[in-house]
Each structure stands twice: as C-alpha cells, then as structure tokens.
Amino acid sequence: MISRRDFLQVSMAATAMMGASGYGTWARAAAQQTLTQDQLLQFDTFGNVSLIHITDIHAQLKPIYFREPSVNIGVGGNKGVVPHLTGADFRKAYGIEDGSPSHYALSAGDFEALAKGYGKVGGLDRVSTVVNAIRADRPDAILLDGGDTWHGSYTCLKTEGQDMVNSMNVLKPDAMTFHWEFTLGSERVNEIVEGLPFAALGQNIFDSEWDEPAELFKPYKFFERGGVKVAVIGQAFPYMPIANPRWMFPEYSFGIRDENMQAMVDEVRSMGAECVVCLSHNGFDVDKQMATKVTGIDVILSGHTHDALPEPVLVGETIIVASGSNGKFVSRVDLDIRDGRMMGFRHKLIPIFSDVITPDPVMTKVIDEQRAPYQDQLSEVIGQTESTLYRRGNFNGSWDDLICNALIDERDADIAMSPGVRWGPSLLPGDDITREDIFNVTSMSYGEAYRSEMTGEFIKVILEDVADNIFNPDPYYQQGGDMVRIGGMAYRCDVTKPQGERISEMTLLKTGEAIDASKNYVVAGWASVNEGTEGPQIWDVVEDHIRKLGTVTLEPNNSVTVVGA
C-alpha cells in the first residue's frame, strides 16, 4: 500500500505535470493573449474541503500595479530554492513563457512593457468576484485572511482601519490572523476584534504579564465542511515587539511558540479534527522550518513575506501555500480528506488581472463609500515620474531611493534610512504621483521623520543588526523584511558572514570618504520603534520633495555591493 507521504508526493507531481494546480491553464492561455475570466476561474473541483486564502492585502482596495522582486536572496538551506528564485530563474523553474501574463504576474522582468499590455492587478471588488465564484462552486469553502489587512493606505490610516473592516465584512472571511493591525494600538485592535463577525486567531498571542494565551484571540476554530471536521489554527507574526513598536501593544507578547503550536495541533486532533490548517503570518522560510518541528499540520497558508508561488511546497507531510500580497492573488486549495487524513490536494493560484475579472458591484459600492470622504485628498496630483517606482528588493527599491533622497534634502542630512518593508504598489514611467500613491508606501501610525546624529560605529551596528534579521541562516532568527534602505552612503554586504561581520567598506557618497567609526553624521529616517520620536510625518516630507522636483527621475542605485548571494 502506498504511504501517505508517497501519496502526497505523487499528488504534487501530478499537479505539476497535469496542470491540476490551475497555474498551467492560465499560463498557456496567457501566452496566446486569450485570457478570460472563465480561464482564470476554471477549476476541477476536488475532494471534500475547499480553502480560499488571501493575505497581506495592505489596505489596497483599488487595482494597482505591483512589481515582484528581482532580488530575493536565500541563505543556508534556503539558498537557491523558492521563494528565493527571481526573474528568469523563477520562470525557468516553473516553465513560464516569456511575455505571458504568468511572467507579468509572477516575476519582475520586462515589468513596464508587460504592465502596459496586461494592465493593473488586484482590487478588492475583483477579489470578491473570485471568492464568490469559488463559493458558487463549493458553497462551504473556508475563506481565510492571513493578516496585514488593516494597514497600508491613506483611508486605512485616517479611519484607523475601519475602511478595511467594513470592506472585509462584505467579503465574509471565516477567520483571520494578524501583524500590522497591532500598530493601530491595542485599544483600537481590541475594539475592532470584539465586533468582528468572524474568528480572530493567534495561538501565539499571549498576555505579556501572565504569559498566558490572550483571551480575545482564540488559538483555533473548528469548521464542519463536506462531512469533515477542520481545525484552523492561527499564527500571528511572531516578532511583533521587535519589528514594530512594543509600546503600542504592551499587554501582548508573541513569538513562534512552536511547542504551543504542537500542543494545539495535538489538542484539536484529540477533539476529532480530521484536517488541521495553520493560518500563518510567520513568513515562508519560518513556516518551512516550523513544518519540520510541528507534526500533524496538513496545510500551512503562509503570509508576511509576500511570496507568490504557483505551486505549494511540500515539507514532510505538510503543504505550504504562498498567496502573494496587495490583493494580487487568491489561492484555492481543494483537499481530499478521508479517514482523518489528507489523501490528496488540488491547488490554484489565481492572479487578479483587473481588466479581465469583472468587479463585484456590491463590493465596489462599499469601497467607493469608504473612499468618498477623502477623494479630493487621494486624487491630488503632487508630481509625475519618469522612472518606475517600486519597493521590492533585498537592498533597495526606487520608491525607497526617492524617500531617502527626500529625507536627505528636506531634513538636511548626510545619510538617510528607510525601513525595508515590502508593502506598497508600483508606478510606471509617465504616471502621475498622487497623494494616495505617497501614502501607499509611507502610511503607518508611527511615521515621524527623525533627524539625529549617529556615529559611524552606531550606523554599522544598525546595518549589522538588520542584516542578521534577514540573512541569519536559521529562519527562526529572520523577521522576513528587507534590508534597511540607505541614502547618501555606500557599503558592502557579505551575506555569508556571521553577525557583526557582514558590513564593510562604508563610504559617504557626497565626499567619497570612508565612514569614520568615531565621527558623528547627521542621519534622517522614519518609522522608529522608539516612543516619543519627533519630526514631520514622512508623507509630508516626501510630498514636499516631489512638489519641488515636479518630475521624478531616478538613476540606478548601485551603492550596495552584495557578496555571497
């Protein structure tokens, strides 16, 4: 008799060869320029349980452009494997034809030309159409939101997340987990969660004083679907108090807590769970490692690192699904659960091509209602760009180059620092830059732009600390973002070195002189996790800078020399 592990491996191989993942269908159609909504939604219903996964929407209600990363370095056991393949290597790994919409949706090459041909992506009303279609086919499908939903736009900031709460309530998820939501502050988060009509999950959200599970956030929820008892366990972002301001949610603690995760898996199994799903905001590499430590999880729906993979990754007997970000994708996963075990699966990563998918008018109306009070502010044109503005990349992105330039010029600084976050849409050459566009890449509840003096030694300490968060070979020490962006300074980074030895050859660009460890430099930055940070809001700094420029033109940024990638 075939073992369960062998069955899953065969299932996955068949998925890849036969196009049962759904990826092959739209990729081939795309190459012939015949893409339709029906092709995007086509799916051969399978098994007895359906999961729908969305994650890392970052408050993007309307269609956008979004460029995938051209650099995503993996280290240790994750070097050279997905999701750390980009560009031509990624396309080769999945057999993606150059110039196809799958090329456009999943990799960065020829982004500008393909974007003009295939148009914008996302839009929650298009997501709603896809979700509704899946529910029409499988009415008891479980819709799960991986978090980073109530953050990332002008209207979300101004309404303290209410625009997204109202919109997501129309979508009717069955459960969600959390990360950036907590930067609204614990009082506001508690207020929203208490009124949610669906489950707020996090087995690793604890009361910081008593080190006990937080009562407001349940560790798991059961669903009866297709005659199967399904347990969904939530996993919030584990590094919240490190990556974000601890003072905004002092009564909560987090962590990976894989021992508690194992206890929760064992508990739900003992209560009759035939299928266990982890709704995670760990980040993909952390999820892979957790799957080697925690047994009994059938599916991990991965979030946080914004990876979009056309096929699940199998770790032991657990499949890990990555569904992208910014409303650009929806994943459907059908499971065959028999005799308390997952015997097979079928998966489809559905790209949300905004010009192909008809918007759901109910959701469109709700979105327009959220935006109407702010429309004049949102649509005001601040300038234009002649350069593609994008965020993703391990060491820099052109949006961050622009932000760093603004900090240096507007705050009269030698060096600028911008956080290595992965959220934020893209703009094409020739596009207007509106106030909404600026907020899409700067919006947060601690956006003060500080100006201070730092020694060269302290600057190196900062870079080394962030580099270890990204390039530590143990995924449990990675926080899943990108390197802090630096303006006004060049440096060398050897990703193979241990902590404290990765950064060298630091150079002040305006003089060409080596950074002196004992000398003070004026540094401007934003998004400090320190309470009481003072300074103008970063969106005002960037807006002032763009108004002065009129038209933004950026030269390629080659200030970071990367070794060992």
Side-chain angles (χ1 to χ4, degrees):
M1 178 180 292
I2 189 169
S3 70
R4 181 180 182 222
R5 176 178 172 83
D6 289 341
F7 189 97
L8 290 172
Q9 290 175 330
V10 169
S11 175
M12 186 154 200
T15 291
M17 290 186 295
M18 299 169 58
S21 67
Y23 155 71
T25 304
W26 64 265
R28 288 192 297 272
Q32 300 170 12
Q33 305 295 313
T34 59
L35 195 62
T36 67
Q37 178 170 307
D38 287 344
Q39 288 168 330
L40 290 178
L41 297 177
Q42 191 278 327
F43 191 91
D44 294 328
T45 305
F46 178 77
N48 45 7
V49 173
S50 289
L51 308 176
I52 310 171
H53 183 222
I54 53 176
T55 191
D56 295 277
I57 293 174
H58 285 287
Q60 296 305 311
L61 293 172
K62 303 290 284 186
I64 58 170
Y65 293 111
F66 188 85
R67 178 188 183 274
E68 296 296 326
S70 54
V71 179
N72 187 8
I73 298 169
V75 293
N78 290 307
K79 182 175 182 178
V81 299
V82 294
H84 303 288
L85 295 176
T86 60
D89 291 334
F90 183 94
R91 297 194 296 276
K92 181 179 179 181
Y94 289 104
I96 295 172
E97 184 172 343
D98 287 353
S100 66
S102 49
H103 173 176
Y104 171 52
L106 292 163
S107 73
D110 297 321
F111 173 72
E112 294 83 359
L114 294 174
K116 290 176 182 177
Y118 293 117
K120 292 185 176 183
V121 295
L124 202 61
D125 50 2
R126 276 77 167 178
V127 170
S128 183
T129 294
V130 172
V131 170
N132 290 341
I134 297 172
R135 283 172 167 160
D137 179 54
R138 181 64 69 76
D140 60 357
I142 304 171
L143 173 59
L144 300 170
D145 175 6
D148 278 3
T149 304
W150 316 335
H151 159 270
S153 73
Y154 184 97
T155 56
C156 192
L157 184 68
K158 295 300 183 182
T159 65
E160 296 184 287
Q162 195 61 48
D163 65 328
M164 291 306 299
V165 173
N166 295 344
S167 300
M168 292 301 291
N169 284 349
V170 174
L171 204 60
K172 295 183 175 66
D174 293 288
M176 74 176 293
T177 194
F178 303 89
H179 172 199
W180 274 92
E181 288 79 6
F182 275 89
T183 64
L184 293 172
S186 54
E187 183 177 345
R188 176 60 175 153
V189 171
N190 295 346
E191 177 189 8
I192 295 175
V193 169
E194 287 169 357
L196 286 179
F198 50 85
L201 302 180
Q203 70 85 22
N204 60 333
I205 305 177
F206 273 50
D207 181 296
S208 60
E209 182 177 1
W210 300 103
D211 196 33
E212 296 177 347
E215 292 184 3
L216 190 59
F217 301 90
K218 303 306 179 186
Y220 55 78
K221 183 175 176 62
F222 276 97
F223 300 90
E224 190 83 26
R225 295 292 191 269
V228 174
K229 199 170 185 180
V230 180
V232 176
I233 303 175
Q235 176 79 355
F237 180 54
Y239 305 111
M240 208 102 59
I242 301 172
N244 305 103
R246 183 190 301 267
W247 57 269
M248 289 186 166
F249 37 87
E251 64 269 51
Y252 294 112
S253 65
F254 301 87
I256 297 172
R257 300 184 186 268
D258 48 14
E259 291 183 0
N260 194 64
M261 175 65 80
Q262 184 66 70
M264 292 301 98
V265 173
D266 295 344
E267 183 173 307
V268 298
R269 289 287 186 186
S270 71
M271 297 168 65
E274 300 165 90
C275 175
V276 177
V277 177
C278 175
L279 177 62
S280 173
H281 205 91
N282 275 338
F284 197 83
D285 289 351
V286 178
D287 281 328
K288 284 174 63 180
Q289 178 129 322
M290 187 175 72
T292 69
K293 294 177 177 291
V294 179
T295 60
I297 300 174
D298 296 301
V299 181
I300 297 177
L301 301 175
S302 187
H304 178 59
T305 40
H306 294 196
D307 307 298
L309 297 180
E311 296 169 2
V313 169
L314 181 65
V315 177
E317 297 185 350
T318 302
I319 63 168
I320 306 177
V321 175
S323 304
S325 68
N326 288 268
K328 188 176 176 181
F329 299 96
V330 172
S331 284
R332 175 176 177 175
V333 187
D334 278 18
L335 307 173
D336 178 16
I337 308 297
R338 282 179 279 144
D339 301 322
R341 307 176 74 181
M342 184 174 75
M343 300 303 296
F345 66 91
R346 186 165 291 158
H347 161 271
K348 184 171 186 175
L349 179 71
I350 304 170
I352 309 300
F353 289 111
S354 306
D355 292 341
V356 177
I357 297 173
T358 302
D360 169 19
V362 175
M363 182 65 83
T364 301
K365 181 175 183 292
V366 172
I367 291 171
D368 291 344
E369 289 171 351
Q370 311 312 306
R371 292 168 57 85
Y374 309 99
Q375 194 58 51
D376 290 345
Q377 289 291 314
L378 292 168
S379 61
E380 183 174 348
V381 175
I382 310 303
Q384 288 77 36
T385 183
E386 290 184 352
S387 301
T388 299
L389 296 179
Y390 65 92
R391 171 145 273 162
R392 286 294 308 274
N394 282 140
F395 287 92
N396 55 43
S398 52
W399 261 122
D400 292 298
D401 293 341
L402 177 59
I403 292 169
C404 285
N405 291 345
L407 285 165
I408 289 172
D409 291 349
E410 301 299 320
R411 302 290 281 153
D412 191 22
D414 300 316
I415 295 168
M417 295 184 178
S418 187
V421 296
R422 294 185 170 187
W423 43 267
S426 308
L427 293 179
L428 301 181
D431 281 353
D432 288 336
I433 304 173
T434 65
R435 181 169 291 112
E436 178 172 25
D437 296 323
I438 295 171
F439 272 78
N440 280 344
V441 293
T442 60
S443 172
M444 63 167 64
S445 55
Y446 52 106
E448 292 82 7
Y450 62 83
R451 183 181 186 273
S452 63
E453 290 193 358
M454 298 181 188
T455 64
E457 180 182 22
F458 187 63
I459 294 169
K460 184 177 188 297
V461 167
I462 292 174
L463 295 182
E464 290 282 6
D465 185 56
V466 178
D468 196 59
N469 290 338
I470 302 165
F471 302 119
N472 192 302
D474 184 345
Y476 272 21
Y477 289 92
Q478 298 173 10
Q479 294 177 17
D482 285 313
M483 191 65 183
V484 59
R485 278 66 163 110
I486 298 293
M489 192 187 85
Y491 66 95
R492 181 180 187 267
C493 180
D494 187 338
V495 301
T496 67
K497 296 290 186 179
Q499 184 176 16
E501 299 179 17
R502 294 186 178 97
I503 306 300
S504 62
E505 300 179 19
M506 295 164 56
T507 305
L508 188 65
L509 290 177
K510 69 180 181 180
T511 65
E513 297 175 349
I515 295 292
D516 186 332
S518 62
K519 183 178 178 179
N520 282 343
Y521 298 89
V522 177
V523 178
W526 64 290
S528 169
V529 298
N530 297 322
E531 188 172 7
T533 299
E534 296 181 352
Q537 294 293 344
I538 185 62
W539 43 85
D540 292 330
V541 173
V542 175
E543 180 173 319
D544 289 346
H545 182 66
I546 293 173
R547 284 192 186 278
K548 290 174 184 176
L549 292 177
T551 300
V552 171
T553 304
L554 296 169
E555 297 299 322
N557 185 344
N558 300 310
S559 61
V560 182
T561 301
V562 182
V563 179

